[in-house]
Structure formats: structure tokens, C-alpha cells
Amino acid sequence: MNNIIRKAIDLIKSIDEISIISHTSPDGDNVGSILAMGLALKQMGKRIKIIKTDIIPSDYLFLQHVDMIQEYDEKDIELLIVLDCSDIDRLGKLKDIVSKSKNTINIDHHISNTAFADYNIVDSKAAATGEIIYLFLNQMGIEIDEEIATCIYTAISTDTGSFLYESVTDTTHEIAAELLRKGIDKNKIILNLYQSRSMERTNLFIDCLSSFKTYHNNKIATVMVTQDMLKKANAQMEDTEGIISFVKDTKGVEVACLLKENSEGIIKASLRSKEYIDVAKICSEFSGGGHIRAAGCSINENIETAEKLIVQKLIDMW
Ligand SMILES: [Mn+2]
């Protein structure tokens, strides 16, 4: 066991009340990881607070104990565990919580992680934060029960596009196998995560895909979602989940870009690449970050200009 992990475990053991937090715009790795960690520490007899940074997408509400995720109560924090966050800005309005907490642990798998905590357990080779959590809980001697296993499986499955991404390794599959042996209901998880798309979301997909454009010999593909489209489909921004993979899966497309106009008119761009373009590098040019094959950034321009800027940057750096 490495020294930092040992020290982090000692710290957790020495503190009774522990807070856990993850990034805004929660995904499955976020929700699955914070719940798994919360349930595990509760099992150790700790008092746990899981702090809500944002609305939890409906996809993850099937997870038991999701109601453990609560609004921040402004009380002093003895130990804060931050999961799946590359930097403190990912905590949105709550980013000051890190400097206000007495002790901090950061567990993450983003290559761009800024090591903002007292103890930083960052493995950019892990396919999901859930993968690191699994290994960490084992090292802590926690009994991974069916509920914890369901949360970790959700984290890993969603962050790997159902075990499709390049980031998936033999370790990922070994962990998944171990989780299945804990008696999780895999079919129920899959039904909830991937086979329960709302009618609103399907309608948003149709509208959004009509904005499909390609550049650079069809190697770059873009789609956009505006506030008007959301209104028309009666959908939320979280309903864009899955659109970018659909675009990327087009033959010949190396980079897919989804531009999302948020309610303040700021454009959030998500980029995915298939084989060789480092989209984290492209996004870092716009003060964003992420992984080689999945990254994002914000651009304070109208959506058409934002699209032009990103496409131009991609072509310049190709
Ligand atoms: Mn993640």
C-alpha cells in the first residue's frame, strides 16, 4: 500500500464525522462514488454527510440511499473527501468548501487533477473514480456489500460507456467481476441506466441531431443544444447525455463536439475523441480539461462563435 493511501486511511479512522462531495452536473461516477464511499464509512460507524452540489439526474435515483445526498448545512468540516473532481472549480458555488475544511482527501482519475487536497489519491489510468474507490475500500478492510457494489458498478459502467472506452483495462473487468459476485442485480442496473430514456429525452435527441455538422473531411462532427431546444422538448440539459457518443460513433468521425447553451448563455463544450486526438489538450486551450478521449470547457460567446472557435482550434492542432 502506498504511503499516501495509508495516511488517508489513518486520517479517516481518526475522525468521526466525515463529509463527502463531488462535482456539479453529476454523472454516474460522481453519484455512484459518493454513495459507495458514504455507505462504506457509515458501515465503519462514522457520521456521514454527502453534500449536494447540484440536482441529481433521474437516471441515478434508483440507487438506494440517494437521499443521503443533502444540501450543505454550512457547518464546520473536520474531514472532506472530494471525489471525481479534477479541480475545486468543479464544485461550482461550493468550491471554497475545500479551503474551509480542516482536512481534505481528493480521490480522482482525471489526468488534469490539480492535487488540491492534503492527501491526493489520483490515478489517471483508472477508468472511473469508482474503480479507485473499490480498491481503496478493500485496502480499508471494508466489507463491500451488495448496495456498495451496486453504486460502484454504476460508477464504472457509466464512466466507461458500458465498458467500451479505451480506458477500460483488465483491472476494470476484474473489479466488475468482483462486484457481480457481491450479488448485484446487473439487469436492473442496466434497465435503469440505459433502457429508461424519457420521451422528452428522445425528442431532444431528434432536435439536437438535426444540428449535426461535420468539418475537416468529416473527421470533426458537432451538434448543439440551445435553451430553445430544451424548452421545445420539455427537457433538461442532463437529457443531452448520450448524444455525443451517438455522434462520435459515426464512421470516420474522430472528434465529436457537443455545444450546450446554459441558462446564463455561456457555452459548455463537451469533446470526445475516438482514436488519436487528445481532447483534454484542446479543452485546456479554453481553460478546460478532462481526459484524452473525453474533455470539456466553457466559452463565453454565442453558440455559433463557440463552435467556430473549437473547430478552428481542432484543425490548427490536428
Ligand atoms: Mn469520473
Side-chain angles (χ1 to χ4, degrees):
M1 200 188 302
N2 90 31
N3 221 9
I4 292 165
I5 294 177
R6 185 174 302 121
K7 282 183 179 161
I9 291 174
D10 287 345
L11 183 63
I12 289 171
K13 285 184 174 159
S14 71
I15 292 172
D16 288 331
E17 187 168 288
I18 299 170
S19 294
I20 302 165
I21 197 166
S22 185
H23 57 82
T24 55
S25 303
D27 55 19
D29 195 22
N30 167 325
V31 181
S33 294
I34 55 180
L35 285 175
M37 182 61 93
L39 292 169
L41 299 185
K42 224 174 136 186
Q43 199 190 94
M44 289 173 75
K46 307 289 180 187
R47 286 194 305 280
I48 298 304
K49 288 182 182 171
I50 306 181
I51 301 167
K52 189 172 179 173
T53 47
D54 215 333
I55 299 162
I56 312 291
S58 56
D59 307 38
Y60 312 118
L61 297 180
F62 76 97
L63 291 169
Q64 281 181 293
H65 306 292
V66 72
D67 56 344
M68 280 173 77
I69 306 171
Q70 298 275 342
E71 296 294 335
Y72 177 41
D73 61 10
E74 306 280 335
K75 293 214 178 87
D76 289 347
I77 295 173
E78 182 77 15
L79 170 57
L80 180 72
I81 303 179
V82 186
L83 303 180
D84 201 42
C85 276
S86 52
D87 56 80
I88 60 166
D89 286 331
R90 297 288 286 117
L91 297 174
K93 280 180 277 196
L94 293 179
K95 67 173 189 179
D96 292 338
I97 205 169
V98 174
S99 58
K100 283 195 270 180
S101 299
K102 226 170 144 197
N103 300 282
T104 50
I105 297 173
N106 155 26
I107 303 179
D108 185 37
H109 69 128
H110 293 90
I111 196 158
S112 54
N113 193 287
T114 56
F116 53 82
D118 303 330
Y119 297 101
N120 301 288
I121 300 167
V122 179
D123 178 4
S124 61
K125 288 195 184 69
T129 296
E131 220 181 273
I132 311 174
I133 300 283
Y134 176 85
L135 300 170
F136 187 77
L137 296 184
N138 268 335
Q139 285 173 317
M140 275 208 322
I142 296 281
E143 164 79 37
I144 296 185
D145 59 20
E146 186 253 320
E147 284 181 4
I148 297 174
T150 298
C151 294
I152 299 178
Y153 191 88
T154 296
I156 298 176
S157 173
T158 52
D159 239 31
T160 56
S162 322
F163 301 93
L164 282 179
Y165 297 168
E166 230 174 45
S167 56
V168 171
T169 62
D170 50 347
T171 306
T172 317
H173 284 292
E174 268 158 13
I175 294 172
E178 286 296 324
L179 296 171
L180 291 180
R181 290 186 196 112
K182 304 290 180 190
I184 61 171
D185 188 343
K186 178 170 68 74
N187 295 344
K188 188 183 145 200
I189 298 173
I190 289 169
L191 183 74
N192 277 288
L193 291 177
Y194 309 118
Q195 296 167 343
S196 303
R197 191 195 308 124
S198 68
M199 219 33 98
E200 287 82 7
R201 190 177 283 198
T202 296
N203 281 322
L204 181 67
F205 266 53
I206 295 167
D207 205 9
C208 174
L209 288 172
S210 71
S211 71
F212 180 78
K213 281 197 229 93
T214 66
Y215 302 90
H216 207 51
N217 272 328
N218 297 340
K219 290 199 278 284
I220 301 169
T222 67
V223 281
M224 41 181 84
V225 180
T226 62
Q227 288 293 313
D228 278 348
M229 287 179 184
L230 294 180
K231 259 185 230 131
K232 213 176 115 201
N234 190 25
Q236 313 295 319
M237 198 50 93
E238 66 188 63
D239 292 316
T240 57
E241 180 78 43
I243 292 179
I244 195 161
S245 309
F246 184 88
V247 171
K248 192 193 73 182
D249 292 345
T250 311
K251 188 171 182 182
V253 169
E254 168 60 19
V255 177
C257 174
L258 169 66
L259 298 125
K260 297 176 280 190
E261 178 192 40
N262 77 10
S263 52
E264 283 103 55
I266 294 166
I267 308 306
K268 303 260 182 190
S270 301
L271 275 76
R272 300 283 182 276
S273 62
K274 198 182 275 167
E275 288 182 288
Y276 52 89
I277 294 293
D278 179 352
V279 286
K281 208 162 138 194
I282 305 291
C283 288
S284 72
E285 295 284 320
F286 299 96
S287 313
H291 309 283
I292 299 170
R293 300 279 170 259
C297 59
S298 295
I299 298 179
N300 202 353
E301 295 283 354
N302 70 46
I303 202 158
E304 284 82 15
T305 310
E307 190 212 16
K308 271 197 202 109
L309 289 171
I310 288 185
V311 170
Q312 198 51 56
K313 186 63 73 183
L314 274 163
I315 293 171
D316 291 345
M317 293 177 71
W318 203 268

